[in-house]
Amino acid sequence: MTTPTTPPAAAPDLVTFGESMALFTARRTGPLRFARDFDLGMGGAESNVAIGVSRLGHCATWVGRVGADEFGDLIRSTLLGEGVDARAITDSAAPTGLMIKGRRTADLVDVRYYRAGSAGSRLTPGDLDPGLITGARVLHVSAITPALSASARDAVRHAMTLARSAGVLVSLDVNYRAALWSPAEAGAWLREAVADVDALFVTGPEGRLIADVEEPAGLARALAALGPRHVLVKAGSEGALELSGDVVRHAEPYRVTEVDPVGAGDAFAAGWLAGWLSGSDPDERLRTACAAGAFAVTSQGDWESLPRTADLRLLQRRAPDGVDR
Amino acid sequence: MTTPTTPPAAAPDLVTFGESMALFTARRTGPLRFARDFDLGMGGAESNVAIGVSRLGHCATWVGRVGADEFGDLIRSTLLGEGVDARAITDSAAPTGLMIKGRRTADLVDVRYYRAGSAGSRLTPGDLDPGLITGARVLHVSAITPALSASARDAVRHAMTLARSAGVLVSLDVNYRAALWSPAEAGAWLREAVADVDALFVTGPEGRLIADVEEPAGLARALAALGPRHVLVKAGSEGALELSGDVVRHAEPYRVTEVDPVGAGDAFAAGWLAGWLSGSDPDERLRTACAAGAFAVTSQGDWESLPRTADLRLLQRRAPDGVDR
Amino acid sequence: MTTPTTPPAAAPDLVTFGESMALFTARRTGPLRFARDFDLGMGGAESNVAIGVSRLGHCATWVGRVGADEFGDLIRSTLLGEGVDARAITDSAAPTGLMIKGRRTADLVDVRYYRAGSAGSRLTPGDLDPGLITGARVLHVSAITPALSASARDAVRHAMTLARSAGVLVSLDVNYRAALWSPAEAGAWLREAVADVDALFVTGPEGRLIADVEEPAGLARALAALGPRHVLVKAGSEGALELSGDVVRHAEPYRVTEVDPVGAGDAFAAGWLAGWLSGSDPDERLRTACAAGAFAVTSQGDWESLPRTADLRLLQRRAPDGVDR
Amino acid sequence: MTTPTTPPAAAPDLVTFGESMALFTARRTGPLRFARDFDLGMGGAESNVAIGVSRLGHCATWVGRVGADEFGDLIRSTLLGEGVDARAITDSAAPTGLMIKGRRTADLVDVRYYRAGSAGSRLTPGDLDPGLITGARVLHVSAITPALSASARDAVRHAMTLARSAGVLVSLDVNYRAALWSPAEAGAWLREAVADVDALFVTGPEGRLIADVEEPAGLARALAALGPRHVLVKAGSEGALELSGDVVRHAEPYRVTEVDPVGAGDAFAAGWLAGWLSGSDPDERLRTACAAGAFAVTSQGDWESLPRTADLRLLQRRAPDGVDR
Amino acid sequence: MTTPTTPPAAAPDLVTFGESMALFTARRTGPLRFARDFDLGMGGAESNVAIGVSRLGHCATWVGRVGADEFGDLIRSTLLGEGVDARAITDSAAPTGLMIKGRRTADLVDVRYYRAGSAGSRLTPGDLDPGLITGARVLHVSAITPALSASARDAVRHAMTLARSAGVLVSLDVNYRAALWSPAEAGAWLREAVADVDALFVTGPEGRLIADVEEPAGLARALAALGPRHVLVKAGSEGALELSGDVVRHAEPYRVTEVDPVGAGDAFAAGWLAGWLSGSDPDERLRTACAAGAFAVTSQGDWESLPRTADLRLLQRRAPDGVDR
Amino acid sequence: MTTPTTPPAAAPDLVTFGESMALFTARRTGPLRFARDFDLGMGGAESNVAIGVSRLGHCATWVGRVGADEFGDLIRSTLLGEGVDARAITDSAAPTGLMIKGRRTADLVDVRYYRAGSAGSRLTPGDLDPGLITGARVLHVSAITPALSASARDAVRHAMTLARSAGVLVSLDVNYRAALWSPAEAGAWLREAVADVDALFVTGPEGRLIADVEEPAGLARALAALGPRHVLVKAGSEGALELSGDVVRHAEPYRVTEVDPVGAGDAFAAGWLAGWLSGSDPDERLRTACAAGAFAVTSQGDWESLPRTADLRLLQRRAPDGVDR
């Protein structure tokens, strides 16, 4: 019998910021115009990571702007409800952004954005409390935020600088979004920013925005040469690779039935960062990252499917008849 | 950017243009953030009028821009499916706009827009085929379009000028949208534009953006003094008033059970314009307008509920036990 | 632009406790066995009041037990998400209770409970932090809690005693539940407890469990004679009556379209207590209570429909065509 | 503690037969083509009466043909599940008929049939067990059945003759269906058949298919002159009138909120017949009929909404706050 | 053309009893607290077997207690509708139990119970009509019932003794439920009870509650040594094994696409018992059991998916394009 | 009976005709009687092909009869909305036909018809505008139409004769429907009609209605010997075979995740005919046919899932993480 989630007076373990949006998800597979029924929820790469880290037992703070509207309230209450210290700044001059998500076919998820000029894109360096960042153990950002606006880009670099100055681990997940900027623009920003990153999360194609190496281990070494102490190269159902110091570790993928691939990358980052915060040994930390990523695709939702510590054990054992009662 | 769907040879009875949007409608009453389930459809004041006129037996053409996306396709196929000659110009530089609609309470519908910078707002005078307008019998516009962008505003005035020059009836429904411009901005535009209008549709508050008269008949006279030959003042469940020439006509409201108030004004305009196109006498024409407006609130949807000629007779008779079988 | 809901380090304005439950709500009107589709949510009289007071701008803490299950998590995250300082104690020895709610007919809501032996019913005096209660300005309880178990009954009296000793306003809403105890049992408990109550909320039938007076003002006086400084007698669509000191105030009901009557009483109490916390004058305070109660029935859900300050203004004004856009 | 519904070895109180169909019900109000979502159920005027009489405590047998398909199974299992002795004869040469039901507007229900050549329409005199009919106390038929086919028409007259010969009360509800036959055809059949009827149920317009009298009491007398001992003239929300022997009784309508008008007439007949079977005095019997008819419109479904004895008491009393818990 | 399901006056082929519950099934995969939409139905291991045996052409009687509530009515009407002679005893002192069922992930079904103190758990020996049991050919019980209450445990042993004394085949499906009792408690009861069992159904882990043998054939022999003439060891997608007398038979699994694993074990038992009742030869009987188990997982629902004789042929043949029309 | 919707001036690329029906699709897998929720849409083999050809960039005209009802309107507006020149002739003497579609198991789709005596089955040779057919480049028919009625059979042969006389390519897809006629009846008609066919589409079993050859290439040769220049033998997930002149081409199947198999054959025909209309070389044409057929099974709906040219490229590439954003 325990009393959980008393609000954190102390400094958080992890601070992150970015844009979260209302999310309309189509219920049936096929072209969106025939979808008819949609569920309303919310999502955002950084807030997904905050929820993921929180579910694995650490204190996470998320900062971002939302509109003075129902969708802003939805984002705030969802994050507070998940135990994240959500600092959702109400910007009455712009609406909360939207995502529309569907399945074009059984094998292809389709995501569209209404975020141009949104409240979330208007983040500024001044929105970030310096003490919050320097008092944390991890700062996590994504390369979505610099693609949103000039002020948002400044906010990311400002935060990274603050964190570096205070010895806070700087984590960057590339999360390349073709709808927001070109590979060339993303590559230019990333090549510059990566020097201030401690832990870098990429897929192969994302890594090649920065360094033109095909083979995963070589790619990781090329990226590490630019700054990061930890490089994580994710290969979806092929597993993942970690380069930390001189050591390359390979993780086998978990065999799961995929229900919704969205959120797997955020879950991987959350798992790895939770392992780092817990002081797990590197093998265990990488296994946690892979298990979290695998678990996240086994049910619906961008963040609803993020695992708790107990859930990760479900991947190892299954009820004899597939029914737990 | 391409114009699809070969147009019909003959000239339409009515031409209209404006912005149509994808429409997400919440299924339950209450704050949108708790709505959970949404239906996808489409809507737009001018395309609603085009559908309404088409259902009452006249040929209607609608012109507008849509994005190169599923929602643009949805707008095009819905209008074509309703028998409207839909000239949906694909603008690949901007997305189709969105509306989100819910019921805050049983008595208050709540509509939010995502249309800033949308394809629909990028309409230009050049999008309008002059021969199409001058060959029609009615040009119908709303005062939503001038609030969308400078080029859209130019398009409205350009079309009105073309129509006037060719003796085409110019119909304007004010449709004031507080989310798009201030009363002062709207009033300034309307006071200037109304000089070129033949048939003007207003509610009382909309009329007072132009002329500060409280009493409906006096308001109608003040508006007619600025140009229009026909002034229609709608008062919802209180009925409506028409001033044509010197004659003021009052129409009693129909007693119906309201299911969804959205679209009633568009239905009223469609009914009146269909009556005008049919050469109905003024009393009959006003009755048709009121009946169409009343019918439109008796079922769900912005345009789905627009009546056909046969439907208008349902208002007069009802099956003895309320069941038609 | 404001940063809301940083977790309260300071003492709350209001403390309440009780049982909250998972809530399955049938989507169609008729006997539950034909209902087929249900929504999942949560509810509980005291947590409803906490949400209501929080939405009207005050800090509220709720304490209660939940099971170590999904429904317990749902209660915790819903309350945190609504800005309530939710101290949901996980009791792994019993499950979270359930409510099943439907509409037997258009005019009769039907609520069934699965709460015997539930986690929520196992509340004990030791679950309540004395400093939390004595540091607040209001303690709010309902007479549901004493009907749940002996330890829960002790918890209520223990908290009332603590509050009285510290000069904290003790608020009691009778909330008679026929499924939990008989009128005689409830009456006996209430007649004893009411001596320690400052603000008492009753309907007429509830008041008559304590004092056998039919006429509302006389009933209020009879109840006040037993201790409470403030007696509120609610009469649903007939309005309400307040006796404070020697003054009887009558409040006219608001005319609204009822969508869901559940939660109206909780909203009334929340409105009154928020008025008291704000130091509103008594007339204003009673109007706020009535407005909150009226607003709560205009949309679906036990607590989803609770008003914010801005919402209360919606009762005074309505968009001319019933559409806000 | 009771053991209910052991299958009736003994003769039933009431025997009825006719066509029951699968029923698709649209979930939203408006033209069927926009309805999108439908519920599947079943219905049929005579089986509705059988369910209604069964819910009010009497044994009812229903006979009819269904196809060798899922919809036939649905009809059989629904009726068995409701405690009706359902003798659903499987006719593998024809499919089960369908009904499609929607609300054209808030005030008009729209029902379409797919029953031409259906299994149900192929009923023959030989399908009816003579001993079943002569052993019952009531034979109930509707004037839908003679409109289905020649063999079905023969079955009705055959059954009426059998019942008359054995002193079984013959009950006929006109249930005029414009989709099946013309007023002239229906009138001709009815004028002939009514001579063998003991209890006749009509609405005003239905009565005038037989006798051209406008005023209800006069109409009842004109109908009684043709044979029936009991004539019931239903006027929906205006109440009802019974002529039994020389006595005319008027019943005030119950004031209820209508949710679905379909099934009210069947409920009225079921209520009256249940009263007759129970030996209620005529005033009580007519009140039961009206109460059953009123109750049936307060929730969704053709038969789901039929009352039990306990439900009829809900019309008299309502929970103080409209919530029963 | 046949007249089906006249209620059985004669003795049933199979008698079973136990607890059936209302069943809320989540519509989407993931943690229950995010499930939002639920279907209402019913279920229970023994009533599933009764339905299964009935669908395969034999008369089945089910006995059990339900509450005086909508859920009790739902259980009764569902079973009657499926042709089971349902003797649902109404116990007004306790509510009908509930199950909540969801999919935690694509591969793991999650079932929760609200059955402590339920009507169903209050079954007593006196609820069972001795003549009913001694007149049947099979008595089927599960080891869920003895875990519900002392009186339910007595009822099971009482029924087994009656059946044995009359030469009725006693069938026991272990159906171990970890939520109801510990492996040690279950093992103790089973080791004692198994002596009176003729046909025993176990999974490997269930069998090892009784006899600690890993290898299936060895386990079956160890179990048979304790009494049962027939031991069935189910291995899900690995097939099954039967030991009858000295002969061990192995059945290959059917290759099907699993939609819902719940109910497979009940279907297997129903198939085997139907084969026994039909006097099938042992090979055929085991094939029927496996086919029924396989078929039951190919569609949704605990019992809705149980096969009829014709359905079992669907496993052998499939339409060339997967469409039957 | 009227022909609405003015046709476009220019001649279409393809003309087709047949029966389209309203389509109720069950939302859950299992026996239809438990399906509860259905979607409303429309379908028909020939109109599916018209939509498919239109989506791939060619002008298609569809001719058919519909009832004077909501379902007829639904068919007309769906086809117009998809860009098909829909000549839906309103036949007020008969209703629009229906299809009911569900999934009996995960692997078997179940389709039932209500089309006996439907408007669509009443097609006559006179409904077909000779100039429309002789002015087109392709006439496409199915062997469903001759099974509907004598007049429909005449219409097919009449159209084929007209087309042959004008050098229009005659395409026939066998589409054998066991519910409409026997293999013997179908075979007799096909053996006679195939002499006038240029492009013949069959599955193996369909081909063997005409010529008794098991091996696909041999079957194709036997069919070609009866007349057709092009014979396409489809083998579902095994790929397809084309015999054109003396050349046999084999197409490998695409590996896709099947969501709904209905419509794959229509998509295959549409792809092949679009390739023929575009003058693609035979290899490319067959690849397009296979790709269209494969794409059509990857999402829900009979025609909603038909590909556009751009969609066919989705089969070759997939977003790295299965998410396109």
Side-chain angles (χ1 to χ4, degrees), chain A residues 70-86:
Chain A
E70 288 286 319
F71 299 141
D73 292 342
L74 176 63
I75 290 167
R76 181 183 294 115
S77 60
T78 301
L79 292 175
L80 289 175
E82 291 301 314
V84 172
D85 172 25

PDB file of all heavy atoms in Angstrom, chain A residues 70-86:
ATOM      1  N   GLU A  70      -9.685  24.018 -26.042  1.00  0.00           N
ATOM      2  CA  GLU A  70      -9.954  22.695 -25.489  1.00  0.00           C
ATOM      3  C   GLU A  70      -8.785  21.734 -25.717  1.00  0.00           C
ATOM      4  O   GLU A  70      -8.513  20.868 -24.891  1.00  0.00           O
ATOM      5  CB  GLU A  70     -11.217  22.106 -26.137  1.00  0.00           C
ATOM      6  CG  GLU A  70     -12.501  22.781 -25.689  1.00  0.00           C
ATOM      7  CD  GLU A  70     -12.877  22.375 -24.279  1.00  0.00           C
ATOM      8  OE1 GLU A  70     -12.732  21.190 -23.942  1.00  0.00           O
ATOM      9  OE2 GLU A  70     -13.291  23.254 -23.513  1.00  0.00           O
ATOM     10  N   PHE A  71      -8.103  21.869 -26.847  1.00  0.00           N
ATOM     11  CA  PHE A  71      -7.020  20.940 -27.149  1.00  0.00           C
ATOM     12  C   PHE A  71      -5.813  21.209 -26.245  1.00  0.00           C
ATOM     13  O   PHE A  71      -5.103  20.278 -25.846  1.00  0.00           O
ATOM     14  CB  PHE A  71      -6.649  21.019 -28.630  1.00  0.00           C
ATOM     15  CG  PHE A  71      -7.788  20.649 -29.546  1.00  0.00           C
ATOM     16  CD1 PHE A  71      -8.011  21.341 -30.729  1.00  0.00           C
ATOM     17  CD2 PHE A  71      -8.647  19.603 -29.225  1.00  0.00           C
ATOM     18  CE1 PHE A  71      -9.062  20.992 -31.581  1.00  0.00           C
ATOM     19  CE2 PHE A  71      -9.697  19.249 -30.068  1.00  0.00           C
ATOM     20  CZ  PHE A  71      -9.908  19.952 -31.242  1.00  0.00           C
ATOM     21  N   GLY A  72      -5.583  22.478 -25.931  1.00  0.00           N
ATOM     22  CA  GLY A  72      -4.535  22.802 -24.969  1.00  0.00           C
ATOM     23  C   GLY A  72      -4.849  22.195 -23.609  1.00  0.00           C
ATOM     24  O   GLY A  72      -3.976  21.617 -22.943  1.00  0.00           O
ATOM     25  N   ASP A  73      -6.094  22.298 -23.203  1.00  0.00           N
ATOM     26  CA  ASP A  73      -6.496  21.691 -21.928  1.00  0.00           C
ATOM     27  C   ASP A  73      -6.326  20.176 -21.960  1.00  0.00           C
ATOM     28  O   ASP A  73      -5.948  19.564 -20.958  1.00  0.00           O
ATOM     29  CB  ASP A  73      -7.964  22.016 -21.638  1.00  0.00           C
ATOM     30  CG  ASP A  73      -8.185  23.493 -21.347  1.00  0.00           C
ATOM     31  OD1 ASP A  73      -7.208  24.198 -21.044  1.00  0.00           O
ATOM     32  OD2 ASP A  73      -9.343  23.938 -21.428  1.00  0.00           O
ATOM     33  N   LEU A  74      -6.616  19.607 -23.100  1.00  0.00           N
ATOM     34  CA  LEU A  74      -6.487  18.154 -23.230  1.00  0.00           C
ATOM     35  C   LEU A  74      -5.032  17.721 -23.061  1.00  0.00           C
ATOM     36  O   LEU A  74      -4.732  16.721 -22.394  1.00  0.00           O
ATOM     37  CB  LEU A  74      -7.005  17.718 -24.604  1.00  0.00           C
ATOM     38  CG  LEU A  74      -6.867  16.247 -24.962  1.00  0.00           C
ATOM     39  CD1 LEU A  74      -7.674  15.368 -24.026  1.00  0.00           C
ATOM     40  CD2 LEU A  74      -7.317  16.007 -26.401  1.00  0.00           C
ATOM     41  N   ILE A  75      -4.122  18.458 -23.661  1.00  0.00           N
ATOM     42  CA  ILE A  75      -2.697  18.136 -23.534  1.00  0.00           C
ATOM     43  C   ILE A  75      -2.259  18.270 -22.082  1.00  0.00           C
ATOM     44  O   ILE A  75      -1.613  17.371 -21.522  1.00  0.00           O
ATOM     45  CB  ILE A  75      -1.864  19.057 -24.461  1.00  0.00           C
ATOM     46  CG1 ILE A  75      -2.119  18.674 -25.917  1.00  0.00           C
ATOM     47  CG2 ILE A  75      -0.378  19.006 -24.106  1.00  0.00           C
ATOM     48  CD1 ILE A  75      -1.612  19.688 -26.926  1.00  0.00           C
ATOM     49  N   ARG A  76      -2.618  19.374 -21.476  1.00  0.00           N
ATOM     50  CA  ARG A  76      -2.216  19.596 -20.084  1.00  0.00           C
ATOM     51  C   ARG A  76      -2.755  18.500 -19.176  1.00  0.00           C
ATOM     52  O   ARG A  76      -2.023  17.916 -18.379  1.00  0.00           O
ATOM     53  CB  ARG A  76      -2.724  20.959 -19.617  1.00  0.00           C
ATOM     54  CG  ARG A  76      -2.345  21.301 -18.176  1.00  0.00           C
ATOM     55  CD  ARG A  76      -2.941  22.628 -17.746  1.00  0.00           C
ATOM     56  NE  ARG A  76      -2.369  23.738 -18.496  1.00  0.00           N
ATOM     57  CZ  ARG A  76      -3.064  24.508 -19.348  1.00  0.00           C
ATOM     58  NH1 ARG A  76      -4.363  24.302 -19.556  1.00  0.00           N
ATOM     59  NH2 ARG A  76      -2.457  25.490 -19.984  1.00  0.00           N
ATOM     60  N   SER A  77      -4.036  18.198 -19.291  1.00  0.00           N
ATOM     61  CA  SER A  77      -4.599  17.224 -18.348  1.00  0.00           C
ATOM     62  C   SER A  77      -4.112  15.811 -18.635  1.00  0.00           C
ATOM     63  O   SER A  77      -3.932  15.015 -17.706  1.00  0.00           O
ATOM     64  CB  SER A  77      -6.124  17.302 -18.290  1.00  0.00           C
ATOM     65  OG  SER A  77      -6.698  17.044 -19.521  1.00  0.00           O
ATOM     66  N   THR A  78      -3.866  15.491 -19.892  1.00  0.00           N
ATOM     67  CA  THR A  78      -3.328  14.158 -20.172  1.00  0.00           C
ATOM     68  C   THR A  78      -1.954  13.994 -19.520  1.00  0.00           C
ATOM     69  O   THR A  78      -1.679  12.974 -18.868  1.00  0.00           O
ATOM     70  CB  THR A  78      -3.226  13.935 -21.690  1.00  0.00           C
ATOM     71  OG1 THR A  78      -4.521  14.077 -22.268  1.00  0.00           O
ATOM     72  CG2 THR A  78      -2.682  12.552 -22.006  1.00  0.00           C
ATOM     73  N   LEU A  79      -1.094  14.995 -19.662  1.00  0.00           N
ATOM     74  CA  LEU A  79       0.263  14.879 -19.115  1.00  0.00           C
ATOM     75  C   LEU A  79       0.249  14.882 -17.590  1.00  0.00           C
ATOM     76  O   LEU A  79       0.923  14.058 -16.959  1.00  0.00           O
ATOM     77  CB  LEU A  79       1.156  15.987 -19.672  1.00  0.00           C
ATOM     78  CG  LEU A  79       1.445  15.845 -21.169  1.00  0.00           C
ATOM     79  CD1 LEU A  79       2.241  17.047 -21.680  1.00  0.00           C
ATOM     80  CD2 LEU A  79       2.219  14.563 -21.444  1.00  0.00           C
ATOM     81  N   LEU A  80      -0.530  15.774 -16.997  1.00  0.00           N
ATOM     82  CA  LEU A  80      -0.635  15.760 -15.529  1.00  0.00           C
ATOM     83  C   LEU A  80      -1.168  14.405 -15.076  1.00  0.00           C
ATOM     84  O   LEU A  80      -0.697  13.836 -14.089  1.00  0.00           O
ATOM     85  CB  LEU A  80      -1.582  16.865 -15.047  1.00  0.00           C
ATOM     86  CG  LEU A  80      -1.078  18.299 -15.167  1.00  0.00           C
ATOM     87  CD1 LEU A  80      -2.193  19.275 -14.767  1.00  0.00           C
ATOM     88  CD2 LEU A  80       0.146  18.529 -14.260  1.00  0.00           C
ATOM     89  N   GLY A  81      -2.144  13.892 -15.796  1.00  0.00           N
ATOM     90  CA  GLY A  81      -2.744  12.610 -15.431  1.00  0.00           C
ATOM     91  C   GLY A  81      -1.750  11.467 -15.504  1.00  0.00           C
ATOM     92  O   GLY A  81      -1.866  10.476 -14.785  1.00  0.00           O
ATOM     93  N   GLU A  82      -0.768  11.592 -16.371  1.00  0.00           N
ATOM     94  CA  GLU A  82       0.263  10.557 -16.497  1.00  0.00           C
ATOM     95  C   GLU A  82       1.435  10.782 -15.541  1.00  0.00           C
ATOM     96  O   GLU A  82       2.457  10.106 -15.648  1.00  0.00           O
ATOM     97  CB  GLU A  82       0.756  10.481 -17.941  1.00  0.00           C
ATOM     98  CG  GLU A  82      -0.289   9.934 -18.887  1.00  0.00           C
ATOM     99  CD  GLU A  82      -0.748   8.536 -18.490  1.00  0.00           C
ATOM    100  OE1 GLU A  82       0.111   7.697 -18.195  1.00  0.00           O
ATOM    101  OE2 GLU A  82      -1.974   8.317 -18.439  1.00  0.00           O
ATOM    102  N   GLY A  83       1.280  11.768 -14.656  1.00  0.00           N
ATOM    103  CA  GLY A  83       2.307  11.963 -13.648  1.00  0.00           C
ATOM    104  C   GLY A  83       3.469  12.819 -14.107  1.00  0.00           C
ATOM    105  O   GLY A  83       4.481  12.941 -13.408  1.00  0.00           O
ATOM    106  N   VAL A  84       3.350  13.423 -15.274  1.00  0.00           N
ATOM    107  CA  VAL A  84       4.391  14.323 -15.755  1.00  0.00           C
ATOM    108  C   VAL A  84       4.138  15.717 -15.185  1.00  0.00           C
ATOM    109  O   VAL A  84       2.992  16.161 -15.120  1.00  0.00           O
ATOM    110  CB  VAL A  84       4.377  14.382 -17.311  1.00  0.00           C
ATOM    111  CG1 VAL A  84       5.320  15.453 -17.834  1.00  0.00           C
ATOM    112  CG2 VAL A  84       4.732  13.014 -17.877  1.00  0.00           C
ATOM    113  N   ASP A  85       5.205  16.374 -14.743  1.00  0.00           N
ATOM    114  CA  ASP A  85       5.087  17.764 -14.307  1.00  0.00           C
ATOM    115  C   ASP A  85       4.961  18.611 -15.577  1.00  0.00           C
ATOM    116  O   ASP A  85       5.956  19.024 -16.167  1.00  0.00           O
ATOM    117  CB  ASP A  85       6.345  18.120 -13.499  1.00  0.00           C
ATOM    118  CG  ASP A  85       6.418  19.602 -13.155  1.00  0.00           C
ATOM    119  OD1 ASP A  85       5.363  20.268 -13.099  1.00  0.00           O
ATOM    120  OD2 ASP A  85       7.551  20.089 -12.963  1.00  0.00           O
ATOM    121  N   ALA A  86       3.703  18.817 -15.990  1.00  0.00           N
ATOM    122  CA  ALA A  86       3.452  19.460 -17.282  1.00  0.00           C
ATOM    123  C   ALA A  86       3.354  20.967 -17.116  1.00  0.00           C
ATOM    124  O   ALA A  86       2.466  21.455 -16.430  1.00  0.00           O
ATOM    125  CB  ALA A  86       2.161  18.917 -17.883  1.00  0.00           C
TER     126      ALA A  86
END
